[in-house]
């Protein structure tokens, strides 16, 4: 029976070929719009993920501040000073911590035989390479031996290499930091850099050697990465440091915590909201195509009224008529859906990347928006298509099924 019903549907579509083709084009355009909008939303979210991922996501930075809440007999306004003991305390008491590194920084003259610049020099430990995902293009990073032996070695950013050495081979070269000679042992791969951001001009030296440039008794900051819930880790961090420095854990100004995953979570909410909005817009577009399908099917019902009357006189029941016209609508929807998804794939391939972050940042083409159509996008779009097609085809089908056979046979 179903084969006969679909056979009748195909015959009706061939009989009205031009009308059917126009309707299919409308459905194809609608589903292609849904798929491309969803792909854009997914690409927008992936771009933000890429921006954060280059620096590491499961990491937290803590920096000294000034208390804003009174504790016991101590008034607010006390400066919190982080020390090396806090590094060990975080490692031992905060759950899920993997690597911890103290950080010291200072703007100093950076010189070689040809150039002099004033850049930031950071004193760090080897753990920072894992924490902040520092990938090397040449040489090696600072090692535990460098820290232990207070070696005068330096790892420089990609832009620092270009400005200091141009096309020269940098490894083994000498660079003077605040007048003190250091050997260049590594060059970092370029990271995404906005405007005059100094991320690719930083110079890293062993934390112990930083004592030759700046007093390292009080730390400028501490970075660590972890496994687990970011909120729970931050809560444990604040409790640990509050207990050792006598401030309230609720005092947000006593220490400043840069919780990268919390920031990323906020952008994920924005991305999800955008995807929902784009799905809504795409569904409206497909709905317009569905209205076109409904209109065409209503015209078909009107034109085939006598045919419906004959079928009912020969014993066809309401469900047979209903399935006949619904099948015709679903065939049109299905053909349009396949064509629309194919069109969406073609457009996404032709468009490639859409300029996004690279418009304001260097080395940021990976964070542009790419229209990558994933399987779950196709599944979601197909579900929307089926719903729209079913609703659009059901109304004319119900009207056809409810026709009075005697009145239908009298219809001219």
């Amino acid at each position: 029976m179903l084969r006969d019903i679909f056979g009748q549907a195909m015959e009706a579509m061939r009989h009205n070929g031009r009308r059917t083709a126009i309707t299919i084009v409308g459905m194809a355009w609608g589903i292609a719009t849904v798929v491309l909008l969803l792909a854009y939303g997914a690409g927008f979210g992936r771009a933000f993920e890429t921006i954060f991922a280059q620096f590491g996501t499961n990491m937290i930075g803590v920096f000294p501040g000034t208390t804003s809440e009174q504790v016991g007999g101590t008034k607010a306004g006390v400066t919190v000073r982080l020390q090396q003991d806090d590094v060990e305390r975080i490692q031992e008491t905060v759950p899920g911590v993997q690597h911890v590194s103290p950080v010291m920084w200072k703007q100093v003259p950076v010189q070689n035989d040809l150039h002099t610049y004033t850049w930031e020099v950071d004193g760090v430990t080897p753990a920072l390479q894992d924490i902040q995902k520092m990938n090397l293009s040449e040489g090696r990073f600072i090692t535990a031996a460098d820290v232990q032996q207070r070696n005068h070695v330096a790892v420089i950013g990609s832009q620092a290499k270009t400005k200091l050495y141009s096309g020269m081979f940098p490894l083994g070269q000498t660079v003077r930091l605040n007048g003190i000679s250091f050997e260049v042992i590594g060059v970092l791969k370029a990271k995404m850099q906005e405007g005059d951001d100094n991320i690719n001009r930083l110079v890293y030296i062993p934390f112990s050697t930083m004592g030759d440039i700046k007093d390292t008794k009080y730390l400028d900051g501490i970075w660590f990465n972890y496994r687990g819930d970011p909120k729970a880790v931050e809560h444990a961090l604040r409790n640990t440091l509050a207990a050792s420095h006598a401030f309230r854990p609720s005092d947000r100004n006593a220490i400043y915590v840069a919780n990268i995953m919390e920031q990323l979570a906020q952008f994920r909410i924005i991305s999800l909201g955008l995807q929902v909005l784009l799905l809504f817009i795409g569904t409206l577009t497909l709905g317009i195509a569905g209205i076109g399908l409904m209109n065409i099917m209503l015209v078909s019902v009107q034109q085939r009224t006598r045919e419906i009357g004959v079928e009912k006189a020969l014993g066809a029941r309401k469900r047979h008529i209903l399935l006949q016209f619904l099948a015709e609508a679903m065939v049109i929807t299905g053909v349009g859906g396949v064509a629309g998804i194919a069109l969406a794939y073609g457009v996404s391939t032709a468009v490639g990347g859409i300029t996004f972050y690279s418009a304001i940042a260097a080395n940021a083409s990976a964070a542009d928006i790419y229209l990558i159509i994933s399987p779950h996008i196709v599944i979601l779009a197909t579900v929307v298509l089926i719903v729209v097609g079913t609703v659009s085809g059901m109304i004319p089908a119900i009207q056809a099924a409810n026709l009075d056979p005697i009145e239908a046979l009298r219809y001219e």
Side-chain angles (χ1 to χ4, degrees):
M1 182 183 71
L2 290 177
R3 180 180 299 178
D4 293 337
I5 289 173
F6 277 99
Q8 289 177 343
M10 295 300 295
E11 181 62 30
M13 290 169 58
R14 282 194 293 269
H15 181 71
N16 299 285
R18 182 181 301 176
R19 184 178 66 193
T20 300
I22 293 174
T23 308
I24 289 174
V25 169
M27 296 302 292
W29 183 264
I31 191 62
T33 302
V34 173
V35 172
L36 289 173
L37 286 174
L38 288 175
Y40 182 89
F44 182 82
R46 191 197 64 83
F48 275 113
E49 296 278 351
T50 303
I51 294 170
F52 278 89
Q54 69 161 339
F55 301 105
T57 50
N58 283 68
M59 68 175 183
I60 288 178
V62 54
F63 310 96
T66 302
T67 61
S68 58
E69 298 179 13
Q70 182 175 345
V71 181
T74 305
K75 295 182 179 181
V78 177
T79 300
V80 176
R81 297 182 181 274
L82 301 176
Q83 296 183 333
Q84 188 66 35
D85 290 344
D86 293 312
V87 176
E88 300 170 3
R89 191 173 291 112
I90 291 171
Q91 182 76 67
E92 294 172 358
T93 62
V94 177
V97 171
Q98 295 178 290
H99 304 94
V100 186
S101 176
V103 180
M104 299 292 299
W105 57 76
K106 186 177 181 180
Q107 295 281 340
V108 301
V110 179
Q111 304 169 296
N112 64 1
D113 294 336
L114 299 175
H115 306 283
T116 299
Y117 302 98
T118 299
W119 290 337
E120 180 181 316
V121 174
D122 289 7
V124 301
T125 65
L128 195 68
Q129 183 181 17
D130 291 319
I131 296 170
Q132 296 190 354
K133 292 188 176 181
M134 295 180 174
N135 298 317
L136 293 160
S137 62
E138 300 176 68
R140 64 174 179 86
F141 198 70
I142 295 163
T143 64
D146 291 327
V147 176
Q148 184 178 5
Q149 299 168 15
R150 295 175 56 88
N151 291 337
H152 282 213
V153 293
V155 177
I156 62 177
S158 59
Q159 192 176 31
K161 170 200 168 182
T162 301
K163 288 183 172 294
L164 287 171
Y165 303 107
S166 298
M168 296 173 56
F169 185 66
L171 301 186
Q173 299 285 348
T174 298
V175 61
R176 293 186 297 278
L177 309 178
N178 207 30
I180 303 172
S181 294
F182 286 77
E183 178 188 352
V184 177
I185 59 169
V187 179
L188 296 171
K189 287 185 178 179
K191 289 184 178 290
M192 300 178 193
Q193 177 180 342
E194 292 185 29
D196 199 37
D197 185 11
N198 68 347
I199 185 65
N200 291 317
R201 294 195 301 271
L202 295 177
V203 178
Y204 298 92
I205 64 175
F207 181 80
S208 56
T209 315
M210 187 69 179
D212 296 342
I213 297 175
K214 180 181 179 179
D215 185 1
T216 57
K217 180 179 179 180
Y218 298 115
L219 307 178
D220 290 322
I222 301 172
W223 282 101
F224 65 90
N225 59 355
Y226 61 91
R227 290 179 180 172
D229 179 46
K231 291 184 178 179
V233 173
E234 181 179 341
H235 181 71
L237 170 69
R238 290 187 178 276
N239 286 338
T240 294
L241 294 182
S244 60
H245 291 276
F247 64 84
R248 294 181 184 275
S250 60
D251 190 346
R252 314 295 290 188
N253 295 321
I255 55 172
Y256 298 104
V257 177
N259 193 335
I260 305 304
M261 281 302 294
E262 284 291 300
Q263 297 175 21
L264 179 57
Q266 295 174 6
F267 281 105
R268 283 174 175 169
I269 292 173
I270 295 173
S271 175
L272 179 60
L274 176 65
Q275 291 181 58
V276 171
L277 175 62
L278 292 177
L279 175 61
F280 177 71
I281 294 172
T283 302
L284 289 181
T285 304
L286 184 58
I288 294 172
I291 292 172
L293 171 63
M294 186 188 303
N295 183 55
I296 292 299
M297 292 305 299
L298 287 173
V299 171
S300 179
V301 170
Q302 185 178 19
Q303 291 178 342
R304 295 160 62 186
T305 300
R306 287 181 61 83
E307 176 188 331
I308 295 170
V310 172
E311 289 180 359
K312 286 195 170 187
L314 294 175
R317 298 187 177 183
K318 282 187 176 183
R319 68 172 181 271
H320 298 143
I321 305 298
L322 181 72
L323 285 174
Q324 177 184 342
F325 282 88
L326 184 59
E328 183 175 339
M330 294 310 295
V331 169
I332 293 174
T333 300
V335 174
V338 172
I341 292 173
L343 175 62
Y345 271 105
V347 172
S348 66
T349 302
V351 170
I354 300 174
T355 300
F356 179 56
Y357 195 52
S358 63
I360 60 173
N363 313 308
S365 59
D368 283 338
I369 296 174
Y370 292 88
L371 301 180
I372 300 175
I373 302 174
S374 62
H376 79 270
I377 287 178
V378 174
I379 292 172
L380 180 58
T382 301
V383 170
V384 174
L385 176 68
I386 291 173
V387 171
V388 171
T390 302
V391 171
S392 300
M394 185 63 73
I395 295 175
I398 291 174
Q399 180 176 324
N402 289 333
L403 284 176
D404 181 85
I406 296 176
E407 294 297 327
L409 287 171
R410 291 176 177 175
Y411 185 82
E412 295 295 335

